[in-house]
Amino acid sequence: MTRVCRACDEPITDEADAVIVAHELGNSGPGWDIWAHRDHADDVELIDPDLLRIMCRIWAAQAAVE
């Protein structure tokens, strides 16, 4: 099974160097694990930047109403 690092998009060839950094749920089925090289695990962005931008606007609007 070939695993790809989420941070650098390179294949992880050494099994000892692979770490799971997250798990994404699927719409149907169990989902999948997100892998990274051990050295890149802290570099993985787990939050989609577009989703974060949208959520910040929602939170700011909610705060303004309160």
Side-chain angles (χ1 to χ4, degrees), residues 24-61:
E24 289 186 0
L25 298 175
N27 288 334
S28 60
W32 53 91
D33 294 325
I34 306 299
W35 294 88
H37 291 105
R38 189 170 303 280
D39 293 339
H40 299 163
D42 293 332
D43 299 335
V44 175
E45 292 185 20
L46 298 177
I47 297 175
D48 180 19
D50 293 329
L51 175 62
L52 181 59
R53 178 181 47 80
I54 292 167
M55 290 306 298
C56 285
R57 288 183 179 178
I58 291 170
W59 293 328

Side-chain angles (χ1 to χ4, degrees), residues 2-25:
T2 303
R3 295 184 173 111
V4 177
C5 178
R6 175 62 68 96
C8 69
D9 293 328
E10 296 291 327
I12 302 172
T13 56
D14 183 11
E15 292 290 323
D17 190 30
V19 293
I20 297 175
V21 294
H23 180 83
E24 289 186 0
L25 298 175

